[in-house]
Amino acid sequence: MKQMIYIIVLCLFAGLSCHSSPMQPSDYNYTAVYDKMAYANSIQEKYPRQTDTLLKQLLNTTRQQLGNEDTVLAKIYSHIAANYTTNLIQDDTALIYCDSALQLRLKHLPPNHLHLAQSYTLMGTVYKYKQHYGKAMECLKKALEINQLNVKQDTISMSRLLFSLGDVYNRLGDFVVANEYFQQALAYMSAQEPNFAYLHLYLGSNYRHLKDYALATIHLEKAIVFLNEKEFIGDAYHNWGMVQADMAQYDDAFGHFNKALNIYKQLKNNDLRIANTYIEIAKTHFHQNQYEQALQFATVSLDLRKIGHKDSFKHFQITESHTVLGNIAAAQKDFQNALNHYQKAIDAFDERTFTPVQQIEPLFGKAKMLLQLGRKKNALTVFNTLDAVIQKVTHQFKDDKSKFNLLENHFSIYEKAIQTAFELFESNHDSTLLQQAFQFSSHSKAVALRQAVNDEKAKVSANIPKDILEKERSLKQEVVFQQKQCFDNPTEMNYKELYFVREKLNLFVADLEKKYPKYYDLKYQSAQVIDLQRLQKSLPNEMMSLEFFAGDSTIYTFALTRNHLKIYPLHLTKELDTTIYQVRKSLME
């Protein structure tokens, strides 16, 4: 949906007000400059090269007449940057012009001027497309802060900024926080706003990731009603089909996929959109065990994507197609072919188009195929890589709900990892394998709790005053209260309040981490492998420590004494479930 976000960027610069400059000559015709920028804006989608030439000529002429310090130049820089981002797809060049505009405005404008917010917005958008999400969030939040401090708040810019921040978190796979930003954007946006329909499209997709299919459907229906561009209506039908496929309503899903395809095929240059729908059709056939049909659509999807990304096969869409083909081959028990596809999927990893979350499925697929082929040591190596990826993602996510949502989706990875380490131990009795199994178990549980514990320990070690800690607790309580308000009564006002208290907390924590660098280092330090020998020595004689990992098919009990670590697997059966139920029932009577 990159094209849709471009619309947001351009709207920010379509009607800039007159500037103030320390070097403004009284007889200079600024209106003529604005008229030329407006004309460039009107033709840039159809004639991007001519637009670039026109704007650069205007830039040179204005420099000659006004010098290099007039802030009208910043507006021209911004228009050039937007054209490079939107139509010429040259983000590095766009960033150069973004920075030129920002530096000029920082030099001559008050620190909370709305034109600075516009520069930070455009720069944040460019960083987003460069996959520099940290810098993107930093710029967009600076823009938001400026917008909030203005008496006459620009609510349209506010909604777009919140929308763009939601998109950043969405790309990172943090759907919980992304959803909150999208809802806050909706609270500022009227139905007449051009991006109102696109926001509902995003919300529909995001609620699907959160498995709230009822709300996903509501937002996608609204998107179809309000959307004007046919390709985006096709996207809404495409996403609706994905929702229905997740709900196992396969006939309805195929119906909506076909509606999307009918729209895409009527328009030019939509091969990648067609490929996206083909891969979803393939997944839907796969879930019905219709492997031949799934193979057919997945193969066509891959061919179209290779053509669309002919300059480089390193793209997440290439990875997705190979991953689906790997899943199909695995279901047909063609394990070597499946392994080849998963490896091709991994080879397509590229920092520019990937987030860590997107690496997990093909890596897990590779690990499972290595196990099927009897290559347990190789599989364990992949499981260690997967563990590192998951830990990296959970450190990136600030919100506890986001971490739990991630771990819920990938809990089975740790079960397989523990099983692999244990089976290798049984064959060669290498005690380090028990340590690895124990570590997998520890990482699988209470991700948010472990970081919360680290957080509290870091605060003590950094000697942060009690009154500051009390203020942080108070802000956290405000956030929790407002989240409950939104859940109970999802009104525009409640979502606005949630945004404000969350941002207050984020700014407070960021300031805390800046003022107390030792706290930051301790809080975000990488998880260390547990020193089992040290832990064992801390246990008194004749004492045993027990830890449990309850997987889908097996419960692993880790028994730790002063001199031994043992693992006892207990395979889950219906009889065991019945026994557990009876014990729980008797305890409640």
Side-chain angles (χ1 to χ4, degrees):
M1 287 188 186
K2 190 170 182 179
Q3 289 174 308
M4 185 272 285
I5 298 298
Y6 292 155
I7 296 169
I8 297 172
V9 174
L10 293 178
C11 287
L12 291 171
F13 299 94
L16 297 178
S17 61
C18 289
H19 77 313
S20 65
S21 169
M23 300 182 64
Q24 177 177 337
S26 58
D27 60 343
Y28 188 74
N29 188 358
Y30 286 97
T31 302
V33 176
Y34 299 134
D35 287 344
K36 289 180 180 178
M37 281 192 280
Y39 173 71
N41 188 54
S42 69
I43 68 167
Q44 65 179 345
E45 184 175 354
K46 192 172 183 180
Y47 304 108
R49 295 290 177 189
Q50 292 90 323
T51 299
D52 184 53
T53 301
L54 188 156
L55 289 171
K56 287 178 178 176
Q57 288 174 348
L58 179 62
L59 179 65
N60 291 333
T61 301
T62 308
R63 276 177 175 165
Q64 291 171 6
Q65 296 177 343
L66 297 177
N68 293 319
E69 297 299 317
D70 196 292
T71 53
V72 74
L73 295 173
K75 295 169 184 158
I76 304 173
Y77 287 138
S78 296
H79 274 278
I80 295 172
N83 186 44
Y84 272 110
T85 304
T86 306
N87 301 302
L88 300 176
I89 320 299
Q90 296 180 29
D91 294 337
D92 289 333
T93 305
L95 199 58
I96 293 170
Y97 284 98
C98 282
D99 188 60
S100 297
L102 177 61
Q103 296 308 318
L104 189 56
R105 285 169 168 167
L106 284 170
K107 187 174 181 180
H108 292 297
L109 297 177
N112 295 322
H113 199 285
L114 280 173
H115 288 183
L116 279 171
Q118 291 163 356
S119 278
Y120 281 123
T121 298
L122 182 55
M123 183 170 280
T125 303
V126 177
Y127 273 129
K128 179 172 65 176
Y129 295 131
K130 285 174 65 64
Q131 306 290 318
H132 296 168
Y133 296 124
K135 291 182 178 178
M137 282 190 279
E138 181 181 348
C139 289
L140 293 171
K141 288 186 176 182
K142 282 182 179 178
L144 267 177
E145 186 178 353
I146 293 171
N147 199 297
Q148 291 166 357
L149 292 172
N150 277 272
V151 177
K152 294 182 179 180
Q153 193 177 83
D154 184 352
T155 56
I156 293 178
S157 293
M158 194 73 159
S159 67
R160 291 169 182 163
L161 284 166
L162 291 164
F163 192 172
S164 197
L165 272 165
D167 186 35
V168 172
Y169 281 100
N170 196 60
R171 288 161 179 257
L172 285 168
D174 191 344
F175 303 117
V176 173
V177 175
N179 186 65
E180 290 186 0
Y181 276 111
F182 288 150
Q183 287 287 2
Q184 292 156 21
L186 191 61
Y188 281 94
M189 194 177 291
S190 69
Q192 288 70 43
E193 165 68 26
N195 297 304
F196 181 79
Y198 302 121
L199 181 52
H200 281 293
L201 182 57
Y202 266 60
L203 277 165
S205 175
N206 202 60
Y207 272 117
R208 172 188 162 259
H209 285 296
L210 295 173
K211 299 180 182 178
D212 191 334
Y213 301 123
L215 279 176
T217 301
I218 289 170
H219 285 290
L220 291 171
E221 286 177 331
K222 285 186 178 180
I224 290 171
V225 170
F226 287 98
L227 282 167
N228 294 316
E229 294 86 349
K230 284 188 176 181
E231 61 265 39
F232 294 125
I233 296 173
D235 292 345
Y237 281 122
H238 170 92
N239 286 332
W240 198 345
M242 293 170 70
V243 169
Q244 290 172 322
D246 287 351
M247 297 171 67
Q249 297 174 358
Y250 299 122
D251 289 341
D252 291 332
F254 285 130
H256 282 96
F257 288 142
N258 286 327
K259 285 183 179 180
L261 287 173
N262 289 336
I263 292 172
Y264 295 152
K265 290 177 180 179
Q266 294 173 21
L267 305 171
K268 294 181 180 179
N269 303 320
N270 270 291
D271 283 354
L272 284 176
R273 274 187 163 94
I274 292 170
N276 294 342
T277 302
Y278 279 156
I279 203 67
E280 295 304 327
I281 292 174
K283 292 177 187 177
T284 305
H285 280 299
F286 176 79
H287 290 309
Q288 295 177 279
N289 300 324
Q290 298 169 351
Y291 301 130
E292 291 304 320
Q293 296 95 319
L295 179 61
Q296 176 185 350
F297 281 100
T299 302
V300 175
S301 172
L302 177 60
D303 291 340
L304 288 173
R305 285 173 165 179
K306 283 182 176 179
I307 295 170
H309 302 294
K310 59 184 177 183
D311 294 334
S312 174
F313 285 171
K314 287 185 175 291
H315 196 280
F316 76 88
Q317 291 184 341
I318 304 293
T319 285
E320 183 184 34
S321 289
H322 277 300
T323 301
V324 173
L325 286 165
N327 293 342
I328 295 167
Q332 295 176 311
K333 302 191 183 304
D334 188 352
F335 302 130
Q336 186 59 55
N337 186 28
L339 179 61
N340 293 340
H341 277 296
Y342 290 132
Q343 187 58 55
K344 287 178 180 178
I346 294 166
D347 291 341
F349 286 174
D350 176 67
E351 290 183 0
R352 182 171 172 79
T353 63
F354 268 88
T355 64
V357 173
Q358 293 169 321
Q359 300 178 24
I360 292 174
E361 186 179 0
L363 282 169
F364 190 29
K366 178 180 178 180
K368 288 187 290 186
M369 291 309 98
L370 288 168
L371 290 175
Q372 290 290 350
L373 294 168
R375 296 163 60 182
K376 292 182 181 179
K377 289 184 179 179
N378 299 105
L380 188 62
T381 300
V382 179
F383 281 124
N384 280 312
T385 301
L386 275 163
D387 180 40
V389 171
I390 294 172
Q391 296 308 306
K392 179 180 179 180
V393 173
T394 56
H395 280 299
Q396 285 180 347
F397 289 3
K398 303 294 185 184
D399 189 275
D400 289 353
K401 289 189 296 182
S402 302
K403 297 173 188 179
F404 288 130
N405 184 59
L406 172 77
L407 198 59
E408 177 188 6
N409 293 335
H410 303 298
F411 194 75
S412 57
I413 292 172
Y414 284 107
E415 182 175 11
K416 280 286 185 184
I418 293 169
Q419 177 187 345
T420 302
F422 178 68
E423 289 178 355
L424 282 170
F425 168 76
E426 285 190 312
S427 64
N428 61 24
H429 301 288
D430 182 353
S431 61
T432 61
L433 292 166
L434 290 182
Q435 181 174 327
Q436 279 191 279
F438 187 82
Q439 191 67 33
F440 286 138
S441 175
S442 298
H443 280 182
S444 71
K445 292 182 290 186
V447 172
L449 176 61
R450 284 190 290 107
Q451 180 155 330
V453 171
N454 287 342
D455 189 20
E456 292 304 315
K457 287 181 179 178
K459 287 170 185 172
V460 173
S461 299
N463 296 317
I464 298 175
K466 289 184 178 180
D467 60 327
I468 295 178
L469 297 180
E470 185 58 40
K471 184 176 180 181
E472 184 191 29
R473 286 191 203 97
S474 177
L475 287 171
K476 285 183 176 180
Q477 288 172 355
E478 283 187 56
V479 170
V480 172
F481 172 77
Q482 204 56 50
Q483 284 175 330
K484 186 177 185 304
Q485 291 292 99
C486 289
F487 181 81
D488 293 338
N489 187 22
T491 63
E492 293 184 6
M493 183 57 68
N494 282 340
Y495 274 111
K496 285 183 181 180
E497 287 299 318
L498 174 60
Y499 165 73
F500 287 129
V501 296
R502 179 182 282 282
E503 284 307 298
K504 278 172 62 179
L505 175 62
N506 289 340
L507 290 170
F508 181 85
V509 172
D511 185 60
L512 196 66
E513 292 172 353
K514 186 176 181 180
K515 288 181 179 177
Y516 298 90
K518 184 179 179 182
Y519 162 63
Y520 180 89
D521 292 339
L522 291 169
K523 179 180 178 180
Y524 294 109
Q525 66 183 348
S526 299
Q528 300 296 315
V529 175
I530 294 175
D531 187 340
L532 284 178
Q533 291 183 346
R534 183 176 177 182
L535 182 59
Q536 286 175 305
K537 288 179 181 179
S538 70
L539 291 173
N541 290 327
E542 300 181 357
M543 178 175 284
M544 177 181 290
S545 173
L546 297 178
E547 180 173 337
F548 300 92
F549 177 94
D552 292 331
S553 60
T554 308
I555 295 177
Y556 291 94
T557 303
F558 296 85
L560 183 67
T561 66
R562 191 174 181 86
N563 299 308
H564 300 285
L565 169 64
K566 294 185 178 181
I567 301 178
Y568 299 94
L570 178 63
H571 297 292
L572 296 173
T573 62
K574 290 183 179 180
E575 291 77 11
L576 180 61
D577 284 342
T578 302
T579 302
I580 293 172
Y581 172 77
Q582 290 173 344
V583 170
R584 289 181 62 186
K585 185 178 179 181
S586 65
L587 291 172
M588 295 173 66
E589 291 177 350

